[in-house]
Amino acid sequence: MPASFQRRDVRFQSEGLACAGWFYVPDDLAEGQRRPAIVMAHGWSGVKEMGLANFAEAFAAAGFVVLVFDYRYLGQSEGEPRGQIIPAEQRLDYKNAITWISAQPEVDRQRVGVWGTSFSGGHVLAVAAEDRRVKAVVAHVPAVGVRSTTVRWLRRGMFREVWSVGRLLVRQLLRRRQTVMIPVVSAGHGPATLPGEEAFQWKQRSAAWTSTWRNEVTVRSVLAAMRDSVRAAIPRIAPTPLLMVIANRDHYCFTDEQIRAFATAGEPKKLLKVEGGHFDFYDGPGLLRVLPVEVDWFRAHLGIEPTAAQ
């Protein structure tokens, strides 16, 4: 049987605010032993309860120490205004999480990996390029550029959705002292940062797993995301090992853009392309298709040998 583990609630400081997290420690950790660690956070507006335990528990069962956290301004973490998503700030949260977990007595600070999904899949690409404490990275259906994604939505005929978002962007620019909010998803053609039925169904389903997620973010978050791109960072990840997991029907981060971004990365690297859409891999059969590969990547590059039972 896979190893068991303990999970406890923790908080760590990031730029003067407390980030809430789950800290997983394998039960078979001997006294004085230090293990490799993995730091994880969710994508656009997501909080840790929205499917991340499925990954963290598998990593912990494989012998890793794991930290899953909520960014500042989201979930159970501190910060106002609520729903603020600034890419550079969230990447600082990742780096501060690495600092915190590296100081824990259970952790080998020379063997720390990062995992991210969707918007945070882009974050971990940038963090791995900037922070050499990262020794392995898994980018799960990563966002590589929000601005190009918006252009693709227009080409797919989503004019009403993009126009409604644009009106809110203009309102925020004209009312700089006011914090204008925008829904994350919408059932119709109204303003939403993730338009379409696919995103709406996923967020509604995963929102049932937590009381801390809100279906709104600040419009300033959209403006910041539109100015952000991780493409330039990707060639600088090497020699840190990179696994990129992509879906062949990704209409949010777009499969062909991910493939082109992956091509710019140096070795060692691996691309896993799986059947499905952007939100199909957090539970169920989709999870089972990607999780063993992600576990094995961290094992190989952070240095945990599988046991006979695993």
Side-chain angles (χ1 to χ4, degrees):
M1 295 292 292
S4 59
F5 51 84
Q6 301 294 319
R7 187 185 92 182
R8 68 176 188 267
D9 294 337
V10 297
R11 298 179 81 80
F12 65 90
Q13 290 293 303
S14 184
E15 309 307 303
L17 295 171
C19 287
W22 293 331
F23 187 55
Y24 294 78
V25 178
D27 283 339
D28 64 352
L29 191 69
E31 184 176 356
Q33 183 184 18
R34 294 177 179 266
R35 290 281 180 85
I38 299 169
V39 174
M40 307 173 54
H42 221 308
W44 182 262
S45 86
V47 296
K48 58 187 182 300
E49 292 85 358
M50 299 171 84
L52 293 196
N54 293 334
F55 294 90
E57 290 173 5
F59 297 149
F64 295 96
V65 178
V66 183
L67 173 64
V68 185
F69 71 93
D70 289 335
Y71 305 106
R72 289 172 284 164
Y73 314 108
L74 297 174
Q76 295 179 321
S77 294
E78 294 179 342
E80 297 288 343
R82 303 307 294 171
Q84 179 163 282
I85 301 171
I86 308 299
E89 292 182 354
Q90 292 194 334
R91 291 169 197 159
L92 269 175
D93 292 344
Y94 259 103
K95 293 176 183 179
N96 289 326
I98 292 169
T99 297
W100 182 87
I101 203 170
S102 298
Q104 304 312 302
E106 302 92 344
V107 171
D108 180 348
R109 67 179 62 190
Q110 301 303 317
R111 295 188 289 166
V112 176
V114 291
W115 181 100
T117 181
S118 193
F119 200 54
S120 71
H123 289 343
V124 296
L125 296 174
V127 170
E130 297 165 359
D131 194 331
R132 289 303 167 192
R133 294 178 299 174
V134 175
K135 296 302 189 286
V137 55
V138 172
H140 185 268
V141 292
V144 295
V146 172
R147 187 162 41 196
S148 61
T149 296
T150 305
V151 173
R152 296 286 289 269
W153 287 341
L154 284 169
R155 290 175 180 170
R156 291 172 61 85
M158 303 177 78
F159 301 107
R160 290 171 62 185
E161 292 88 342
V162 174
W163 171 249
S164 61
V165 172
R167 292 175 63 184
L168 287 177
L169 297 181
V170 171
R171 183 188 302 176
Q172 180 65 81
L173 291 170
L174 293 175
R175 303 177 183 178
R176 294 184 179 275
R177 295 184 180 181
Q178 179 182 349
T179 298
V180 180
M181 306 301 290
I182 181 172
V184 178
V185 292
S186 172
H189 296 284
T193 62
L194 298 174
E197 185 68 17
E198 187 180 348
F200 177 77
Q201 292 297 333
W202 157 249
K203 290 293 188 181
Q204 291 299 109
R205 184 164 69 90
S206 59
W209 305 338
T210 178
S211 62
T212 66
W213 181 73
R214 299 182 184 182
N215 186 24
E216 62 177 8
V217 297
T218 66
V219 171
R220 290 191 183 93
S221 301
V222 181
L223 291 167
M226 291 284 287
R227 292 191 292 265
D228 186 65
S229 174
V230 301
R231 290 186 179 88
I234 295 172
R236 296 187 282 108
I237 295 171
T240 303
L242 166 65
L243 170 65
M244 187 181 290
V245 178
I246 65 174
N248 71 338
R249 292 184 283 103
D250 193 331
H251 303 313
Y252 288 88
C253 295
F254 291 101
T255 310
D256 59 334
E257 291 195 14
Q258 294 165 330
I259 291 173
R260 286 195 295 271
F262 178 80
T264 69
E267 298 289 348
K269 63 180 182 179
K270 179 176 180 178
L271 181 70
L272 175 65
K273 185 177 179 181
V274 286
E275 172 69 28
H278 185 76
F279 300 98
D280 288 344
F281 306 103
Y282 294 99
D283 58 1
L287 176 70
L288 297 179
R289 290 200 295 273
V290 303
L291 191 52
V293 179
E294 296 180 3
V295 170
D296 286 346
W297 187 259
F298 281 129
R299 277 177 174 155
H301 296 287
L302 294 181
I304 286 186
E305 295 292 332
T307 66
Q310 295 171 334

